[in-house]
Amino acid sequence: MTAIDLYARRLDGFDQRLAHTLSLLRDAAREHAGRIVFATSLGAEDMVLADLIARHRLPIAIATLDTGMLHAETLALIPLLQARYGLEVEVFRPAAESVLHFVREHGEQAMVRSIALRKACCGLRKLEPLARMLDGRSAWVTGLRREQSEARGELPFHDRDDAGRLKLNPLADWRWADVWQHIAAHDVPYNPLHDRFMPSIGCAPCTRAIAVGEPFRAGRWWWERDDAKECGLHVKRLDEAAVSSIGAHA
Ligand code: SF4
C-alpha cells in the first residue's frame, strides 16, 4: 500500500485552498521578482509546490540543502525534478571544513549525545548553507503546514524571518489528505520513503518511521522532547549560544 492509497482524499474546500495557494505564489513572485526562492526540503508538501511552480511557470527560483546526511531516495529527487519539469534546482552544501572539524571533534553520532550538539550539527549542515541560499533574496517560500505540529498550529501565510524577508507559507492551511490528493491527481514524483511510514523526512540518522497514531513529526529527532524538535530553519531565533559554545563553526 502506498502513501497515495493511505492518505489521498478530496476534502471539502480543497479547490479553494489550491486557488488561494496559487494566488499567494503569483503575488509573491510578482512583488519579489528575481529575489524570491522556494527552499525545498523535497518532502511531499514541497513536491506539490515544485509541481505548482513548474506547471504554472511561476518565476520563483528553486533551491535545496544537501546536508551530506540525506537518504539516497531523497537525493534522487533532485535530478528527477529537473528531468520531469525542466527545473533548475540550486543545491547548497555545508562548508566541508566545518563538517570535518565537527565530526573529528564530536564523532559521527554527535547529534544523539545532546541537544546542543544536535543543534550545532543542524547549524553547520543546514543554517549556514540556508543563509547562503537566502543571501540577496527578499522572500522565500516554504512547504510548512499548521497541521504538522502544535508548534506550527498558528502558522501564518505571510511571515517574516529575522532578516525581515518575507517567508511565505502557501500551504499553511492544507491538510495531509490535500497534499496526497494533489500528488495523485498530477502524478507528482515523491520520496518512496513516504510509502514506508515516514511522513516527515530529514537527514537519515535523524529520521525514523512512525507507528499508527504517532504524531506527524514523531520520527524526527525522536530521542528528544517534543518542544526541542525544530532544526532552526523555521524558528525565529537560532540558539546561537548553543551553536557557538561548542565551536561548531569553523
Ligand atoms: S538533522 Fe541530524 S544529521 Fe541533519 S543536520 Fe540536523 S542533527 Fe545533523
Side-chain angles (χ1 to χ4, degrees):
M1 189 170 274
T2 68
I4 289 178
D5 299 328
L6 279 173
Y7 307 121
R9 258 183 314 134
R10 190 172 186 85
L11 301 178
D12 285 350
F14 174 71
D15 290 338
Q16 288 87 341
R17 285 190 287 281
L18 176 58
H20 183 234
T21 294
L22 273 170
S23 137
L24 290 171
L25 287 169
R26 279 204 184 94
D27 288 351
R30 191 173 51 248
E31 283 163 29
H32 297 269
R35 292 173 301 136
I36 181 167
V37 63
F38 165 39
T40 175
S41 69
L42 304 167
E45 292 89 343
D46 292 25
M47 299 307 280
V48 167
L49 284 173
D51 175 79
L52 292 175
I53 288 169
R55 281 192 305 107
H56 295 272
R57 299 178 190 280
L58 301 175
I60 297 176
I62 300 190
T64 195
L65 302 176
D66 174 2
T67 63
M69 300 292 255
L70 299 177
H71 300 87
E73 291 90 337
T74 304
L75 284 173
L77 290 168
I78 299 171
L80 196 58
L81 265 181
Q82 291 169 324
R84 166 74 187 270
Y85 297 108
L87 291 171
E88 191 200 333
V89 181
E90 301 170 38
V91 180
F92 290 81
R93 298 184 172 85
E97 269 295 300
S98 305
V99 171
L100 267 177
H101 177 75
F102 181 78
V103 171
R104 201 180 298 132
E105 194 152 327
H106 302 291
E108 292 278 357
Q109 294 299 313
M111 68 289 284
V112 299
R113 295 198 347 247
S114 71
I115 290 178
L117 281 170
R118 196 272 288 166
K119 286 189 172 175
C121 187
C122 286
L124 69 97
R125 290 184 187 273
K126 293 183 172 180
L127 296 181
E128 188 280 327
L130 178 72
R132 271 185 278 125
M133 183 199 292
L134 298 180
D135 190 32
R137 269 142 176 169
S138 58
W140 53 307
V141 181
T142 86
L144 298 183
R145 294 181 304 112
R146 293 174 189 147
E147 211 185 43
Q148 286 166 339
S149 70
E150 253 182 67
R152 296 178 183 177
E154 306 285 319
L155 184 77
F157 292 109
H158 295 94
D159 204 355
R160 292 272 160 202
D161 68 14
D162 281 350
R165 291 181 202 92
L166 169 67
K167 189 173 172 188
L168 186 70
N169 306 307
L171 300 183
D173 63 348
W174 279 46
R175 310 292 305 275
W176 190 225
D178 295 338
V179 171
W180 290 97
Q181 178 68 22
H182 185 90
I183 286 174
H186 296 279
D187 193 24
V188 176
Y190 69 87
N191 195 326
L193 296 175
H194 289 306
D195 293 336
R196 291 182 234 153
F197 303 102
M198 291 188 192
S200 176
I201 302 168
C203 294
C206 301
T207 304
R208 67 155 169 78
I210 63 171
V212 175
E214 277 195 306
F216 188 86
R217 282 170 63 78
R220 304 291 297 280
W221 307 296
W222 62 93
W223 60 92
E224 293 182 1
R225 289 194 339 263
D226 279 354
D227 56 3
K229 285 189 182 185
E230 290 285 356
C231 61
L233 295 187
H234 300 297
V235 292
K236 283 282 183 193
R237 279 160 27 103
L238 165 66
D239 184 353
E240 289 291 351
V243 172
S244 57
S245 67
I246 54 173
H249 292 296

Coordinates of all heavy atoms in Angstrom, one line a residue, residues 67-70 102 108 110-112 117-127 202-207 220-221 223-224 231, ligand 1:
T67 N 22.6 18.3 3.0 CA 23.3 18.3 4.3 C 24.5 17.3 4.3 O 25.3 17.4 5.2 CB 22.4 17.9 5.4 OG1 22.0 16.6 5.3 CG2 21.2 18.9 5.5
G68 N 24.6 16.4 3.3 CA 25.6 15.4 3.4 C 25.1 14.2 4.2 O 25.8 13.2 4.3
M69 N 23.9 14.2 4.7 CA 23.4 13.1 5.5 C 22.0 12.7 5.0 O 21.3 12.0 5.8 CB 23.2 13.6 7.0 CG 24.5 14.0 7.6 SD 25.7 12.6 7.9 CE 25.5 12.4 9.6
L70 N 21.6 13.1 3.8 CA 20.3 12.7 3.3 C 20.2 11.3 2.8 O 21.3 10.7 2.4 CB 19.9 13.7 2.2 CG 19.8 15.1 2.5 CD1 19.5 16.0 1.3 CD2 18.8 15.4 3.6
F102 N 33.9 19.4 12.9 CA 32.9 18.9 13.8 C 32.9 17.4 14.0 O 32.8 16.9 15.2 CB 31.5 19.4 13.3 CG 30.3 19.0 14.2 CD1 30.0 19.8 15.3 CD2 29.5 17.9 13.9 CE1 29.0 19.4 16.1 CE2 28.5 17.6 14.7 CZ 28.2 18.3 15.8
E108 N 30.6 10.9 14.5 CA 29.6 10.9 13.5 C 28.2 10.9 14.2 O 27.2 11.3 13.6 CB 29.7 9.5 12.8 CG 30.9 9.4 11.8 CD 30.7 10.1 10.5 OE1 29.5 10.6 10.3 OE2 31.6 10.1 9.7
A110 N 27.3 12.6 17.0 CA 27.2 13.7 17.9 C 25.8 14.1 18.2 O 25.4 14.4 19.4 CB 28.0 14.8 17.4
M111 N 24.9 14.0 17.2 CA 23.6 14.6 17.3 C 22.7 13.9 18.4 O 21.8 14.5 18.9 CB 22.8 14.6 16.0 CG 22.5 13.3 15.4 SD 23.9 12.3 14.8 CE 24.3 13.2 13.3
V112 N 23.0 12.7 18.7 CA 22.2 11.9 19.7 C 22.7 12.2 21.1 O 22.1 11.8 22.1 CB 22.1 10.4 19.4 CG1 21.5 10.2 18.1 CG2 23.5 9.7 19.5
L117 N 24.6 19.6 20.8 CA 25.4 19.1 19.7 C 24.5 18.8 18.4 O 24.9 19.1 17.3 CB 26.0 17.7 20.1 CG 27.3 17.9 20.9 CD1 27.7 16.5 21.5 CD2 28.5 18.5 20.1
R118 N 23.3 18.4 18.7 CA 22.3 18.3 17.6 C 22.1 19.6 16.9 O 22.1 19.7 15.6 CB 21.0 17.6 18.0 CG 20.2 17.1 16.9 CD 19.3 18.0 16.3 NE 18.2 18.3 17.2 CZ 17.3 19.4 17.1 NH1 17.5 20.2 16.1 NH2 16.4 19.6 17.9
K119 N 21.9 20.6 17.7 CA 21.7 22.0 17.1 C 22.9 22.5 16.4 O 22.8 23.2 15.4 CB 21.2 23.0 18.2 CG 19.8 22.7 18.6 CD 19.2 23.8 19.5 CE 17.8 23.6 19.7 NZ 17.2 24.5 20.7
A120 N 24.0 22.1 16.9 CA 25.3 22.5 16.3 C 25.4 21.9 14.9 O 25.8 22.5 13.9 CB 26.5 22.2 17.1
C121 N 25.1 20.6 14.8 CA 25.1 19.8 13.6 C 24.1 20.5 12.6 O 24.5 20.8 11.4 CB 24.8 18.4 13.8 SG 25.0 17.3 12.4
C122 N 22.9 20.8 13.0 CA 21.9 21.5 12.2 C 22.4 22.8 11.8 O 22.2 23.3 10.7 CB 20.6 21.6 12.9 SG 19.6 20.1 13.0
G123 N 23.1 23.5 12.7 CA 23.7 24.8 12.4 C 24.6 24.8 11.2 O 24.5 25.6 10.3
L124 N 25.5 23.9 11.3 CA 26.6 23.9 10.2 C 26.1 23.2 8.9 O 26.5 23.6 7.8 CB 27.9 23.4 10.7 CG 28.0 21.9 11.0 CD1 28.6 21.2 9.8 CD2 28.9 21.7 12.2
R125 N 25.2 22.2 9.1 CA 24.8 21.5 7.9 C 23.6 22.1 7.2 O 23.3 21.9 6.1 CB 24.5 20.0 8.2 CG 25.7 19.2 8.5 CD 25.3 17.7 8.7 NE 26.4 16.9 9.2 CZ 27.2 16.3 8.4 NH1 27.1 16.4 7.1 NH2 28.2 15.5 8.9
K126 N 22.8 22.9 8.0 CA 21.5 23.5 7.4 C 21.5 25.0 7.5 O 21.3 25.6 6.5 CB 20.3 22.9 8.2 CG 20.1 21.5 8.0 CD 18.8 21.1 8.8 CE 18.4 19.6 8.5 NZ 17.2 19.3 9.3
L127 N 21.7 25.6 8.7 CA 21.5 27.0 8.8 C 22.6 27.8 8.0 O 22.2 28.8 7.4 CB 21.6 27.4 10.3 CG 20.5 26.8 11.1 CD1 20.6 27.3 12.6 CD2 19.1 27.2 10.6
G202 N 13.9 13.9 7.2 CA 15.1 14.8 7.3 C 16.3 14.1 6.9 O 16.3 13.2 6.0
C203 N 17.4 14.3 7.7 CA 18.6 13.6 7.5 C 18.4 12.1 7.9 O 17.6 11.8 8.8 CB 19.7 14.2 8.3 SG 20.2 15.8 7.7
A204 N 19.2 11.2 7.3 CA 19.0 9.8 7.6 C 19.2 9.4 9.1 O 18.3 8.7 9.6 CB 19.9 8.9 6.7
P205 N 20.2 9.9 9.7 CA 20.4 9.5 11.1 C 19.3 10.0 12.1 O 19.2 9.5 13.2 CB 21.7 10.0 11.5 CG 22.3 10.7 10.4 CD 21.3 10.8 9.3
C206 N 18.6 11.0 11.6 CA 17.6 11.7 12.5 C 16.2 11.5 12.1 O 15.3 12.3 12.5 CB 18.0 13.2 12.5 SG 19.6 13.5 13.1
T207 N 15.9 10.5 11.3 CA 14.5 10.2 10.8 C 14.2 8.7 11.0 O 15.1 7.9 10.6 CB 14.4 10.6 9.3 OG1 14.8 11.9 9.1 CG2 13.0 10.4 8.8
R220 N 11.1 12.5 13.8 CA 12.3 13.4 13.7 C 12.9 13.6 15.1 O 12.2 14.0 16.0 CB 11.8 14.7 13.1 CG 11.1 14.6 11.8 CD 12.0 14.2 10.6 NE 13.1 15.2 10.4 CZ 12.9 16.4 9.8 NH1 11.7 16.7 9.2 NH2 13.9 17.2 9.6
W221 N 14.2 13.4 15.2 CA 14.9 13.6 16.5 C 14.1 13.0 17.6 O 13.8 13.6 18.6 CB 15.1 15.1 16.8 CG 15.8 15.7 15.6 CD1 17.1 15.5 15.2 CD2 15.3 16.8 14.8 NE1 17.4 16.3 14.1 CE2 16.3 17.1 13.8 CE3 14.1 17.5 14.7 CZ2 16.1 18.1 12.8 CZ3 13.9 18.5 13.8 CH2 14.9 18.7 12.8
W223 N 14.5 11.0 19.9 CA 15.1 10.8 21.2 C 15.0 12.1 22.1 O 15.3 12.1 23.3 CB 16.6 10.4 21.2 CG 17.4 11.4 20.4 CD1 18.1 12.4 21.0 CD2 17.7 11.5 19.0 NE1 18.8 13.1 20.0 CE2 18.5 12.6 18.8 CE3 17.2 10.7 17.9 CZ2 19.0 13.0 17.5 CZ3 17.7 11.1 16.6 CH2 18.5 12.2 16.5
E224 N 14.5 13.2 21.5 CA 14.4 14.5 22.2 C 13.0 14.7 22.6 O 12.0 14.2 22.1 CB 14.8 15.6 21.3 CG 16.3 15.6 20.9 CD 16.7 16.8 20.1 OE1 15.9 17.6 19.8 OE2 17.9 16.8 19.8
C231 N 14.8 22.3 13.7 CA 16.2 22.4 13.4 C 16.8 23.8 13.4 O 18.0 24.0 13.2 CB 16.5 21.7 12.1 SG 15.7 22.5 10.7
Ligands
SF4_1 S1 19.0 16.6 11.1 FE1 20.6 15.4 12.2 S2 22.2 14.9 10.7 FE2 20.9 16.6 9.8 S3 21.9 18.4 10.3 FE3 20.4 18.1 11.9 S4 21.5 16.9 13.5 FE4 22.7 16.9 11.7

